[in-house]
Amino acid sequence: MWDYFAEINQHVGTNYQYIMRMDEESFFHSPIPYDLFHTMATNDYEYAFRICSYEMNAIQQIMHNYTTRAKLMWGDDDAAKERNFNGANCGFYNNWFIGDLSFFQSDRVQHYLHWFDDEGFMYRDRLNDLVIQTGAVYTFLPSHKIHRFLDWTYEHFTLTKGTNCPKWGALATGYNDDRANETIATFVQQLKDDNCTIGDAAIMTRRQVPGLHVYHDAVADLSPTYNHLPASMLLTNKTLISIKAGRIDIPGRGERSG
């Protein structure tokens, strides 16, 4: 995607700075009364996301192997590595994201991406673009350039074939959405009409993937480093209601959520 727009800039003379991905199963459920790209530029953000999906364990050993490989090329320079990778951290649910072209076109990120491609991990180990992209952002981008939007309501679900019931994803409400409870109630009724089972708030275990459930997420567990909210809001025990399935925005992760 970044190569495509970088080539357009080069051959057509345009000056695209950001790319935004939005899948066909993604929906905004509340107004966004500002320009997302202007917000990115004004705050010097280079990557933005909306939801955490916890599936990064699949890449933890691979990231260690890559770090070893990269040091042979650039030397033992930890200053070039923004943070140590942990498989328990948030994966950026990148069915919607905004990214800066210059970040993804940088030498270090391109080396990282080409290494993954050359090793064939997506085919051999069934790694998805979420874990690879998150790995690049974690490794090379400073925290103050990563942003998690929490003010508007967003939905993305992967559906079970046959039943069309959600099996992974979320409808996550935003703190500026005055109709958040109404949106959740309407969606829950639609699920019931479709005979989708909605359980109680699931308790996360290593081997159990939570089913479809309604949950009130503490803002302090929603990427406190990346959401750039004032400390006063983080300390008020404020919660945001969501309906989710799978390892999405797991409770109690705190700073591991970003």
Side-chain angles (χ1 to χ4, degrees):
M1 186 187 295
W2 32 86
D3 288 344
Y4 174 77
F5 282 99
E7 289 185 10
I8 288 179
N9 283 345
Q10 179 181 355
H11 296 295
V12 181
T14 51
N15 191 29
Y16 290 114
Q17 181 180 356
Y18 298 104
I19 52 175
M20 184 179 81
R21 174 185 177 183
M22 186 169 179
D23 281 6
E24 67 272 17
E25 302 97 347
S26 298
F27 303 94
F28 295 135
H29 284 278
S30 67
I32 304 175
Y34 55 87
D35 186 319
L36 291 166
F37 302 104
H38 180 74
T39 298
M40 296 287 291
T42 301
N43 294 281
D44 197 27
Y45 299 146
E46 295 188 19
Y47 188 86
F49 67 105
R50 183 61 184 83
I51 291 175
C52 282
S53 180
Y54 288 89
E55 46 193 295
M56 298 302 293
N57 282 328
I59 202 177
Q60 184 163 352
Q61 183 59 47
I62 293 172
M63 289 300 298
H64 173 75
N65 295 343
Y66 174 75
T67 299
T68 302
R69 174 80 170 265
K71 284 182 178 180
L72 296 176
M73 181 172 182
W74 284 296
D76 190 8
D77 182 9
D78 283 337
K81 185 179 179 182
E82 292 298 332
R83 60 188 63 78
N84 291 320
F85 186 86
N86 188 321
N89 287 350
C90 158
F92 306 134
Y93 202 35
N94 66 336
N95 36 74
W96 181 89
F97 76 91
I98 296 177
D100 191 305
L101 283 173
S102 62
F103 168 71
F104 287 108
Q105 288 286 310
S106 65
D107 290 342
R108 290 183 183 276
V109 175
Q110 283 293 301
H111 179 269
Y112 165 89
L113 294 173
H114 283 292
W115 181 76
F116 265 91
D117 192 33
D118 292 343
E119 293 291 329
F121 288 119
M122 294 188 78
Y123 303 97
R124 191 177 70 205
D125 296 302
R126 301 288 292 171
L127 295 181
N128 59 32
D129 58 325
L130 181 156
V131 298
I132 296 173
Q133 187 177 114
T134 301
V137 174
Y138 269 134
T139 304
F140 300 113
L141 203 55
S143 295
H144 69 275
K145 291 183 177 290
I146 306 170
H147 181 63
R148 180 171 184 177
F149 287 99
L150 288 177
D151 52 318
W152 36 267
T153 298
Y154 173 75
E155 174 200 343
H156 179 92
F157 281 107
T158 298
L159 304 180
T160 302
K161 291 183 179 179
T163 66
N164 284 330
C165 292
K167 65 177 180 180
W168 196 284
L171 193 168
T173 64
Y175 60 78
N176 280 339
D177 184 1
D178 294 333
R179 300 180 60 193
N181 290 329
E182 179 183 342
T183 298
I184 292 293
T186 299
F187 195 76
V188 166
Q189 187 58 54
Q190 290 174 349
L191 292 171
K192 290 180 178 179
D193 291 344
D194 292 336
N195 296 316
C196 299
T197 301
I198 304 172
D200 295 328
I203 299 175
M204 171 59 59
T205 68
R206 283 180 172 267
R207 297 185 179 182
Q208 184 180 24
V209 177
L212 194 61
H213 62 284
V214 177
Y215 197 81
H216 288 80
D217 295 293
V219 172
D221 284 331
L222 300 176
S223 310
T225 305
Y226 302 149
N227 64 35
H228 301 104
L229 293 175
S232 57
M233 182 175 288
L234 296 177
L235 296 174
T236 58
N237 296 321
K238 183 177 179 59
T239 62
L240 298 175
I241 189 171
S242 65
I243 182 165
K244 51 191 176 181
R247 295 185 176 94
I248 301 292
D249 283 325
I250 299 173
R253 288 297 171 105
E255 291 188 356
R256 285 182 294 174
S257 65

